[in-house]
Amino acid sequence: MKNKIIILCLCVFLLSGCTFVRIDTTSIDNIVNVVLSKDNTIYNRVGIGYKYYVPRGVTYIDSAGTNDKLYSNGVYYYLYLDEIGYYYKISQKYKEDNSKYYSRKLDDGYLEITKKEDKYLVEFVYNYAKIEALVPKEDINDVVLNASYILSTIKYNKDVIKLSLDDDFLTNREEKYEEFTSKQESDSFLRYEEK
C-alpha cells in the first residue's frame, strides 16, 4: 500500500507540469538573455509609484525618494528609478564601447562594466531604472544576475507618478491658527486679566 502511494505521488509530481529553469551564471550574456526575457510579475518591495522584486540574498537598506540602496555579500547596489522618463516614454540612447570591460546595448537600456583600479563599476540601465555597483571581478556575475531580476520586475504606477509630477502635489496649504485666542466671546467663562 505504501509503495502505491509513493508511486502515485511521484507520478503526480513528474506529470504536473512544473518547470525548473537553471541559469548558467558563467556568462554575462546568458544571464541577461534568460532573466530579461521572462515576464516577471513578482514583487516584494513597494515605493511611491513603483514596485519591484528584491532577490533572496539581497537586502533593502534605505530609500531617498526614488533612489534605493541595497546590499548583498559586501556589495552595495544603488538603484535609481526614472519615473519622469517612464511617464514621458523617453528612450535610452547608447552606443556600445569596445574599450570597456563589457558593453552591451539592450532593447530598453544597456549594460556597461568599466574597470576602476582594482574593482569594476557595473552600470545596468533597463526598464527606466539604473543600478550601479562597484564590485571585485569575482562578483560581477552575481551582481548582474541580481540586478537583472530587480530591473526586470520593476512596475510603475502611472496614476501615482502623474500625481507626483503635478505642480500642486507638494505645495503646502497654509492656514493660520491662533491657539490661545477664542473665536467667540462667552460670558460663562472666567476671564483672566493682567493688572
Side-chain angles (χ1 to χ4, degrees):
M1 182 68 177
K2 285 184 180 180
N3 290 341
K4 289 180 182 180
I5 293 174
I6 293 173
I7 292 172
L8 182 64
C9 289
L10 285 173
C11 287
V12 168
F13 178 72
L14 292 174
L15 300 174
S16 65
C18 295
T19 59
F20 179 61
V21 177
R22 183 175 193 96
I23 299 174
D24 177 21
T25 59
T26 58
S27 164
I28 295 173
D29 286 326
N30 189 47
I31 293 169
V32 172
N33 291 339
V34 170
V35 176
L36 297 185
S37 68
K38 293 182 179 182
D39 185 26
N40 295 315
T41 58
I42 56 175
Y43 64 92
N44 58 9
R45 169 82 184 109
V46 178
I48 299 175
Y50 64 93
K51 61 186 176 182
Y52 62 90
Y53 175 72
V54 178
R56 184 179 301 145
V58 179
T59 306
Y60 167 80
I61 295 192
D62 193 17
S63 180
T66 56
N67 299 332
D68 291 358
K69 186 176 181 181
L70 307 164
Y71 178 81
S72 177
N73 296 330
V75 176
Y76 288 97
Y77 299 69
Y78 298 94
L79 171 64
Y80 310 100
L81 294 139
D82 184 12
E83 291 180 338
I84 295 171
Y86 167 77
Y87 187 77
Y88 293 109
K89 302 296 181 201
I90 299 170
S91 62
Q92 287 286 329
K93 293 180 179 147
Y94 180 76
K95 184 176 181 182
E96 292 182 4
D97 185 357
N98 293 331
S99 68
K100 305 288 184 183
Y101 176 79
Y102 184 88
S103 178
R104 178 176 171 190
K105 183 177 181 356
L106 303 169
D107 291 339
D108 190 19
Y110 63 89
L111 173 58
E112 183 176 273
I113 303 171
T114 309
K115 186 170 183 177
K116 302 277 187 183
E117 296 175 14
D118 60 336
K119 293 198 176 184
Y120 292 81
L121 175 65
V122 177
E123 294 179 77
F124 200 156
V125 176
Y126 185 76
N127 197 14
Y128 300 101
K130 179 179 187 178
I131 288 184
E132 289 183 347
L134 192 61
V135 300
K137 186 174 184 177
E138 60 271 7
D139 292 338
I140 290 175
N141 290 354
D142 290 335
V143 169
V144 170
L145 179 64
N146 289 332
S148 298
Y149 275 115
I150 293 168
L151 294 175
S152 69
T153 59
I154 294 174
K155 302 290 183 239
Y156 295 97
N157 186 330
K158 194 167 190 166
D159 295 332
V160 174
I161 293 171
K162 182 180 179 182
L163 270 175
S164 67
L165 294 177
D166 188 16
D167 290 338
D168 295 331
F169 181 68
L170 296 175
T171 58
N172 190 4
R173 291 173 175 60
E174 292 182 14
E175 195 173 318
K176 186 176 180 182
Y177 290 100
E178 294 182 19
E179 294 179 36
F180 301 109
T181 58
S182 177
K183 293 190 177 184
Q184 61 182 1
E185 297 263 341
S186 175
D187 290 336
S188 64
F189 289 95
L190 292 173
R191 292 187 186 175
Y192 173 79
E193 295 181 19
E194 284 189 32
K195 294 183 180 179

